[in-house]
Amino acid sequence: MEPQPTTSAERVSARVSELVEIFSAPDADPAWLMCDRHPGESVAFTFFEPDGSTVDLSFGELRERSQRFAGLLTELGVGRGDRVATLMGKSADLLTVLLGIWRTGAVYVPLFTAFATDGVSSRLSGAQAKVVVADADQAAKVPDGPWAVLVSGGGSEVREDRRLGDRLAAVKPFEASTPIGGDGAFVHMFTSGTTGAPKGVVHPLRYVAGWQSYLEFALGVREESVFWCAADPGWAYGLYTAVVAPMVLGLRSVLQRGGFDVTATWRALADLGVTDYAAAPTVYRALRSGDVPVPAGLSLRRLSSAGEPLTAEVNEWAVPALGLQVHDHYGQTELGMAIGFPHHPDLEVPVIPQTTGKALPGWSVTVLREDGGIEAEAGEPGLLAIDVSTSPFMTFAGYVGREATDRFTADGRHYLSGDLAVRNADGTLRFSSRDDDVIIMAGYRIGPFDVESVLAQHAAVAECAVVAAPDPVRGEVIEAFVVLRTGAEESDELVAELQNHVRERYAAHAYPRRVHIVTSLPKTASGKIQRAKLRKDLREAAGTTP
């Protein structure tokens, strides 16, 4: 009999090994792991409706509904390995479709509902989708192609053969499930395109192991948690954190219907007694800047953030307003979640402002010098990298139809994230910028996040972005784009005050030479600031080439 782990480190290591083994098994079955093994009466999802009402969906209901959709896919000739896409909001139909896809052994292709027709078309073609399911208000974005189209909702304007509800009512259920094994294709996603054209990434089923670990260790959810991840499931973070990982754990997950709204978010947090909340920094900044007061009697215990670096002003607000600190977490579509400040009591460390956290269980993270792959010293900026050889959750090997040599060191040992960071003496990591976003001014390398973090602490600033602008003397200078909080007024005095705020709190050489007051910042469909667009606009205005 093997000795049982006794220390916290041994327990964490044992759990990581267990998850890897479960999801790497040659007979691993996604429908069983996510649904069929759970009690049918247990609630899988609670939908918070725009009118404040709630609707529950149990694992039993999800099993029966997904069997019908799997039967429909079978009728359409879909089998293991075929791609099935959705263009749908958060709904019971979306979850029915997802589990039905995986029940047949097919591969899911998520499409975000903010995409326009071109974005939808390129991803459907890139994935070679065989079927696409769209909400009625999204169906017009789906172009004609080699794929079959099904429509959720809608009336007589929807072609009869495309009506999802009618087709499900008449179909013979597919009551089995399809083991695909740990290496079987599970999801075919596309990167968000913040640094170039979206690239296809196929995740195997064993990729889920890292997300399951993330839910347990980084988010620290408990069996009794009321869990809500506000991210949209059209993106990796929302899909795995709000849908896939809670289903595997058998944990009820809250899904809010409709778009983001400050009043509705506070209402849902209060009415549902949410204890564990995860959202993008943009959401926390909106809650902070909104005119809606924090409701009394909240049950919040753990707050988490991902998607963009967490600027310091969020916790300067959260601690007095909510009595909690937001824990920053870092990941990528290619990786999953690899760095952060964990909530689990065996791993929790004090949250440090403007710091991303430490390597999460199952990940080995380092910072490499930019001149040759040698590990950087503590405090020395470099390339954020994953040691593939000692990261059991690592599954990424390359993009669909493309060489991935630029994402790995020559010896293949390290995956290069494309981000710049600094490793602190205590082992925590501080995100600096995307490699493409770094500003080089008169020989100084300046990470925009450092300047943004200070600028965002000013009482007048709701949101900001810092980029490089061309300069004939210094090569590049810092320019800032600022969205003001409600009640703040644009003036020359305010601009000077913001510049001095950075001089005094960060560095005299790193203040923004120009401050542009704007009503909004350009963002990707997933909410990430498009600094590349701001840089392009500045260069075009200056008459220079990128």
Side-chain angles (χ1 to χ4, degrees):
M1 182 176 180
E2 294 185 3
Q4 295 299 306
T6 56
T7 68
S8 60
E10 289 174 343
R11 289 193 295 270
V12 170
S13 179
R15 180 57 175 161
V16 167
S17 297
E18 181 183 23
L19 290 172
V20 170
E21 182 177 359
I22 290 170
F23 288 94
S24 298
D27 60 348
D29 180 339
W32 184 84
L33 287 167
M34 297 173 63
C35 180
D36 296 357
R37 62 179 174 148
H38 300 310
E41 67 277 9
S42 295
V43 175
F45 295 94
T46 293
F47 295 94
F48 191 84
E49 303 290 339
D51 63 2
S53 63
T54 61
V55 177
D56 289 338
L57 178 67
S58 71
F59 281 103
E61 291 170 320
L62 189 54
R63 178 164 54 247
E64 189 275 331
R65 294 175 62 133
S66 68
Q67 287 173 344
R68 287 194 168 276
F69 185 70
L72 177 54
L73 288 180
T74 302
E75 282 189 1
L76 293 170
V78 172
R80 179 171 175 173
D82 289 329
R83 270 52 172 170
V84 180
T86 69
L87 189 62
M88 305 173 74
K90 303 167 189 173
S91 66
D93 274 357
L94 171 64
L95 301 170
T96 295
V97 169
L98 295 188
L99 192 60
I101 292 169
W102 292 321
R103 190 173 291 282
T104 63
V107 183
Y108 175 49
V109 181
L111 301 174
F112 188 41
T113 53
F115 286 150
T117 298
D118 287 350
V120 171
S121 178
S122 65
R123 287 164 172 81
L124 290 176
S125 297
Q128 298 182 317
K130 197 165 185 176
V131 176
V132 56
V133 187
D135 287 337
D137 62 353
Q138 298 286 327
K141 298 179 185 177
V142 180
D144 291 333
W147 41 77
V149 179
L150 298 169
V151 179
S152 170
S156 57
E157 75 280 3
V158 179
R159 275 174 31 187
E160 185 175 352
D161 64 321
R162 291 185 169 184
R163 296 175 192 167
L164 178 63
D166 291 349
R167 297 290 300 267
L168 289 178
V171 77
K172 179 181 179 181
F174 180 84
E175 296 181 351
S177 59
T178 307
I180 62 173
D183 291 324
F186 182 65
V187 171
H188 189 144
M189 301 199 82
F190 292 84
T191 62
S192 57
T194 53
T195 59
K199 300 179 284 290
V201 180
V202 175
H203 296 150
L205 179 58
R206 58 189 173 89
Y207 175 78
V208 177
W211 288 94
Q212 187 63 30
S213 175
Y214 173 69
L215 203 74
E216 295 180 22
F217 291 122
L219 297 183
V221 297
R222 279 81 159 154
E223 185 177 347
E224 68 276 9
S225 292
V226 179
F227 174 64
W228 180 13
C229 170
D232 193 282
W235 299 103
Y237 190 78
L239 174 62
Y240 288 98
T241 305
V243 177
V244 174
M247 287 181 70
V248 172
L249 194 59
L251 177 75
R252 177 173 68 122
S253 180
V254 173
L255 294 177
Q256 184 178 24
R257 300 263 282 160
F260 172 76
D261 176 79
V262 170
T263 300
T265 296
W266 283 127
R267 183 178 183 182
L269 289 169
D271 290 357
L272 295 177
V274 173
T275 59
D276 297 67
Y277 184 62
T282 302
V283 169
Y284 289 106
R285 287 193 285 266
L287 294 175
R288 163 185 173 262
S289 302
D291 297 326
V292 182
V294 177
L298 292 174
S299 301
L300 291 170
R301 296 292 180 270
R302 286 163 289 276
L303 301 174
S304 304
S305 174
E308 284 258 284
L310 186 70
T311 44
E313 87 284 357
V314 171
N315 273 327
E316 290 178 357
W317 160 78
V319 173
L322 303 174
L324 297 169
Q325 286 185 306
V326 182
H327 289 213
D328 194 15
H329 298 146
Y330 167 93
Q332 292 184 333
T333 300
E334 294 90 336
L335 297 174
M337 303 303 292
I339 304 169
F341 285 104
H343 283 286
H344 194 283
D346 284 346
L347 297 168
E348 195 167 8
V349 295
V351 172
I352 304 170
Q354 296 174 220
T355 302
T356 310
K358 63 180 184 178
L360 296 173
W363 296 100
S364 179
V365 184
T366 189
V367 176
L368 302 178
R369 288 179 176 168
E370 297 179 62
D371 57 359
I374 300 171
E375 194 165 297
E377 299 292 334
E380 180 184 3
L383 301 170
L384 185 64
I386 305 295
D387 188 332
V388 176
S389 65
T390 53
S391 297
F393 289 145
M394 181 72 178
T395 64
F396 176 76
Y399 299 109
V400 177
R402 292 181 51 162
E403 292 288 334
T405 52
D406 61 331
R407 299 311 299 264
F408 293 88
T409 52
D411 60 5
R413 179 178 173 182
H414 290 100
Y415 166 84
L416 303 175
S417 68
D419 293 321
L420 301 180
V422 174
R423 180 170 50 85
N424 300 319
D426 62 0
T428 58
L429 295 138
R430 181 167 60 85
F431 178 89
S432 177
S433 71
R434 290 289 310 175
D435 194 14
D436 293 345
D437 290 335
V438 70
I439 302 165
I440 303 175
M441 185 180 72
Y444 292 102
R445 295 176 65 84
I446 302 167
F449 173 56
D450 296 316
V451 182
E452 290 169 1
S453 295
V454 174
L455 197 56
Q457 294 175 50
H458 192 282
V461 177
E463 198 168 29
C464 63
V466 166
V467 298
D471 181 82
V473 176
R474 299 177 181 86
E476 293 179 333
V477 294
I478 298 171
E479 295 199 14
F481 292 79
V482 173
V483 178
L484 297 179
R485 296 185 69 173
T486 303
E489 295 185 3
E490 178 181 355
S491 67
D492 291 341
E493 290 76 15
L494 177 59
V495 167
E497 188 177 321
L498 293 173
Q499 290 172 322
N500 286 329
H501 184 77
V502 176
R503 280 194 188 100
E504 294 168 2
R505 296 198 176 199
Y506 178 56
H509 72 283
Y511 76 92
R513 264 53 180 183
R514 291 187 64 190
V515 176
H516 307 268
I517 304 299
V518 295
T519 57
S520 63
L521 298 174
K523 295 178 180 177
T524 67
S526 60
K528 297 179 181 179
I529 295 171
Q530 291 180 306
R531 294 176 184 83
K533 184 180 187 307
L534 295 173
R535 288 195 302 272
K536 180 174 180 288
D537 292 345
L538 289 175
R539 292 181 183 279
E540 288 179 351
T544 61
T545 56

